[in-house]
Every structure is written in C-alpha cells, then in structure tokens.
Amino acid sequence: MRIAVLPGDGIGTEIVDAAVDVLQALGLPLELETAPVGGAAYESCGHPLPDSTLRVVDAADAVLFGAVGDWKYDTLERSLRPEQAILGLRKHLGLFANFRPALCYPELVGASTLRPDLVSGLDILIVRELTGDVYFGQPRGRRTATDGPFPGTAEAFDTMRYSRPEIERIARVAFDAARKRKQAGSAGKVTSVDKANVLETSGLWREVVTDIAAGYPDIAFEHMYVDNAAMQLVRNPRHFDVIVTGNLFGDILSDEAAMLTGSIGMLASASMNDAGKGLFEPSHGSAPDIAGKNVANPLATILSAAMMLRFSLGQPAAASAIEAAVKNVLAQGLRTADIHSNGCTLVGTREMGAAVVRAL
Ligand code: NAD
C-alpha cells in the first residue's frame, strides 16, 4: 500500500509527522513517500505543485495531505500561490466527493462554543462537491466594467456553474452514505443545501437532487436554503444527518460544523474520485499563527489517516483501531490547547501524537 505524504506548510509538517507515526505503529505493509507541496514546493522547485510531486501522487494508492498556505505568499501571482496546489490536486485526481464528518466526542462536549445539550451526541456527515462551482467555473478574471452601476471602473468576476452529471454523482454519493450510516443506526436522512430562490445553478441542483432522491425511498430527504442551513447548524445541529451541498456552500458550512465538535483541529476529511483513490487531509488550513510551536492539534490529521485506511486502502480494522485510540487519549484527559478545558492535561502536538501511538 503506497501512500504519498504531502506535509505542506505551517503546521502541516507537525501534524503529518504525528499521523505518520500512528500509521507506522500499525505494523501494516505501508510504503510512504514524502514530497513537497504548497509554499514549501514553491521554495524548493519554483511551483506549488511540481511535476515531481504529481509523479509521487500518481504512483500512490492514497494521498495524506497536511495543509498549504502562508500569508507571506499573498503577493505572489495567483497561479503560484500555495493554495493552488490543493485545488490542482483535486482537479488532477478528479476528487469530486469530499466527506467531512463532524462528530462531537462525549469528552469534548464542554469544548464546543455551543451548549452541551445542543452538541452532545452530534454526528453529522457533510458531503461537499469539490471540483465544480464558482471555485473552478470559467470564465473568471478582472476587466473594466462596461455596464452595471459603475461603468469604466475595475471589476472582478467568477462563474458559478454545475452540470447535471456533476450534481447526479455527488447526490448519489450522499444518498449511498446516508444508507450506509442508517445501517449503523443513524437517522437515514439527506438535507440538500442550495440557494434555489436566487441562483440558476441551485435551481438545477434542486431538480437533479430531487430526481436522485426518488431512487432512495428508504432515505428521508429535504431541501434547505444555505442561509437557513447556516442558522439551523447552530440552532439545532442534531436536526442533520447527511448534508449534501456544492463547493462554496460546503466550504463555509463545514467550518461552521467544525466548531460544533469543539475545534477545527478535530475535523477530518476525505476527498474521493470515482476510482476510489483519495486525498485525506484535516479540514483546517496551515495555521501560520501557531506553526512551529508544537501546539497544533494533530487529531484531525490522525483521523484523516484512519479515513484513508477505510476508504482507499481496505483496512477498516486498522481505521477503527486508530479511532478507538483517539477516543482513548481523550478519555485520559489529554488535550491540545484548542480543546483544553479545566481539569484536563495540556499537551503539545508531539505528545498528543505519541499518546495515540501508545493507546494503539
Ligand atoms: P486555518 O484553518 O489555518 O486557521 C484558522 C484558525 O484555526 C487559526 O486560529 C488556527 O490557529 C486555528 N487552527 C487551525 N488548525 C488548527 C489545529 N490543528 N490545532 C489548533 N488550532 C488550529 O485558516 P486561516 O488562518 O484562514 O488560513 C491560514 C492559511 O491556510 C491560509 O494561507 C489559507 O489559504 C490556508 N488554508 C489551506 C487549506 C488547505 O491546505 N486545505 C485550507 C484552509 C486554509
């Protein structure tokens, strides 16, 4: 089982090191090859996603990714900025389906900014479309306005677009996931989030998801506008089981959902293509504000490695063992700064990683 390891920038190296230690402790025949990406690759190769890194990715069965980005690259032209690496990898591998489970562990109920009675027992899956929408739509650019309220002035524009097959395949992924979760005791419900009262793309989205829903009579189904979904996520988050939405809305809602779980440092993610190859990364960014200080929470990355074992490498038992080890260290009262509360033991990134290895 070959894994491409792309630590990236900021806290990327620290959290990926912790996850690699956990993977190596499993005793599985894993071959890990590390390659630069993001700002680190720009520094060493002049491009955030060099061909040499793409070769490592193509030869691998799965990709373990840290995070990319740093404010010091904000003045680079857009195509050379670190963030282009993750967008480029999603496009290169066709990673259209992003799974972001937002799970509130009983031990972290007090770390959420919401009342314990709202978040305890929370278990939501956000399925975000990842290769379409306004992030990839063409045309985009800058020009001088020829119409609108201020003709003759500089303006910028992006294009939000979705085709029927793009919506069909992500909807199927969401309904299949809801069915699988139902077998494991979840509600068996899909909430499709859009802005169909305003946007043409959302109008098509709603039509297509409704068509796909007809093939899943065992799964409850509803539509919700994105502004209402943002509100319901903090008003009554347990209303949701599986949320399926487009790239832009999913980006925002999944960060919001992260805070329900206590910290963005707890939120794992898997991005899959239709061949079952995936890229596994924490939902957060490179956190330059805390990089190099041994304070970042590595659990989202460790849990992403567990998703990699389950989704791409066919090792569900190893995945469950990692998840149980994470629960175990939380039950021991070990906490990084982002999830720390009174009475718990404050530990750093390395110590948290080592504790998971011990628990394994
Ligand atoms: P961020 O997710 O990096 O950080 C937001 C806040 O959460 C910060 O206060 C940070 O310290 C904290 N945080 C994040 N991860 C944490 C962890 N594991 N443990 C403890 N605290 C954690 O988002 P940002 O500050 O908006 O962006 C920083 C950089 O990351 C930017 O360059 C951005 O473009 C990039 N970014 C990259 C990705 C990616 O690589 N997939 C995703 C989002 C943002």
Side-chain angles (χ1 to χ4, degrees):
M1 290 173 274
R2 295 178 82 165
I3 302 170
V5 179
L6 313 184
D9 307 318
I11 59 171
T13 328
E14 300 165 73
I15 53 179
V16 166
D17 277 354
V20 164
D21 287 348
V22 170
L23 283 171
Q24 283 172 336
L26 292 167
L28 292 171
L30 303 176
E31 267 180 47
L32 279 61
E33 189 169 358
T34 302
V37 72
Y42 174 75
E43 302 286 350
S44 59
C45 312
H47 194 277
L49 186 56
D51 286 344
S52 52
T53 295
L54 281 178
R55 278 195 292 277
V56 174
V57 164
D58 287 340
D61 300 305
V63 181
L64 181 64
F65 188 92
V68 289
D70 192 297
W71 302 307
K72 70 181 176 191
Y73 301 113
D74 281 356
T75 52
L76 279 179
E77 71 165 86
R78 188 167 298 280
S79 66
L80 295 177
R81 288 199 207 156
E83 291 79 3
Q84 293 306 311
I86 185 66
L87 294 175
L89 277 168
R90 286 171 188 167
K91 202 169 181 182
H92 178 77
L93 293 172
L95 305 171
F96 72 95
N98 183 225
F99 296 80
R100 296 190 172 198
L103 253 175
C104 189
Y105 289 91
E107 294 81 8
L108 294 186
V109 163
S112 172
T113 46
L114 290 194
R115 288 201 320 262
D117 58 302
L118 288 179
V119 294
S120 82
L122 183 77
D123 180 357
I124 300 177
L125 175 67
I126 298 187
V127 178
R128 169 186 168 196
E129 201 290 330
L130 208 55
T131 49
D133 209 345
V134 70
Y135 289 7
F136 289 95
Q138 294 291 341
R140 58 188 289 163
R142 292 188 179 219
R143 63 188 170 197
T144 302
T146 52
D147 56 4
F150 297 104
T153 60
E155 71 173 10
F157 61 101
D158 299 281
T159 303
M160 181 178 262
R161 60 193 281 184
Y162 266 123
S163 63
R164 177 168 265 275
E166 275 177 300
I167 305 168
E168 281 172 354
R169 65 181 180 179
I170 194 70
R172 277 196 201 98
V173 164
F175 280 96
D176 286 342
R179 197 171 258 174
K180 224 175 193 172
R181 283 164 59 89
K182 192 175 180 185
Q183 285 158 8
S186 288
K189 179 166 88 174
V190 171
T191 304
S192 172
V193 172
D194 63 36
K195 188 72 182 168
N197 47 348
V198 180
L199 299 171
E200 287 298 328
T201 38
S202 284
L204 179 65
W205 179 279
R206 198 168 267 228
E207 262 170 58
V208 175
V209 179
T210 305
D211 290 349
I212 298 297
Y216 294 83
D218 51 322
I219 301 299
F221 168 60
E222 65 180 354
H223 295 286
M224 196 179 280
Y225 294 134
V226 63
D227 39 352
N228 185 24
M231 180 177 75
Q232 297 302 336
L233 261 178
V234 286
R235 195 183 78 90
N236 180 19
R238 281 188 312 233
H239 171 82
F240 298 101
D241 177 16
V242 174
I243 294 176
V244 62
T245 189
N247 207 343
L248 175 65
F249 301 151
D251 193 358
I252 299 165
L253 292 180
S254 57
D255 266 31
E256 189 186 356
M259 275 320 295
L260 307 175
T261 70
S263 165
I264 195 155
M266 294 300 301
L267 208 67
S269 102
S271 306
M272 307 295 297
N273 67 16
D274 40 20
K277 186 156 172 172
L279 180 145
F280 302 84
E281 59 171 332
S283 295
H284 56 74
S286 56
D289 53 333
I290 56 169
K293 296 181 179 160
N294 191 39
V295 297
N297 186 347
L299 293 181
T301 317
I302 291 171
L303 291 167
S304 301
M307 288 181 92
M308 176 174 74
L309 290 159
R310 181 174 286 119
F311 282 44
S312 276
L313 301 178
Q315 299 290 329
S320 300
I322 293 179
E323 287 156 358
V326 167
K327 284 192 187 133
N328 182 312
V329 297
L330 292 174
Q332 289 172 38
L334 303 184
R335 302 281 188 275
T336 43
D338 56 312
I339 49 174
H340 186 252
S341 55
N342 280 346
C344 296
T345 310
L346 182 64
V347 295
T349 313
R350 280 190 295 275
E351 294 71 26
M352 184 60 106
V356 176
V357 169
R358 271 198 308 278
L360 260 181

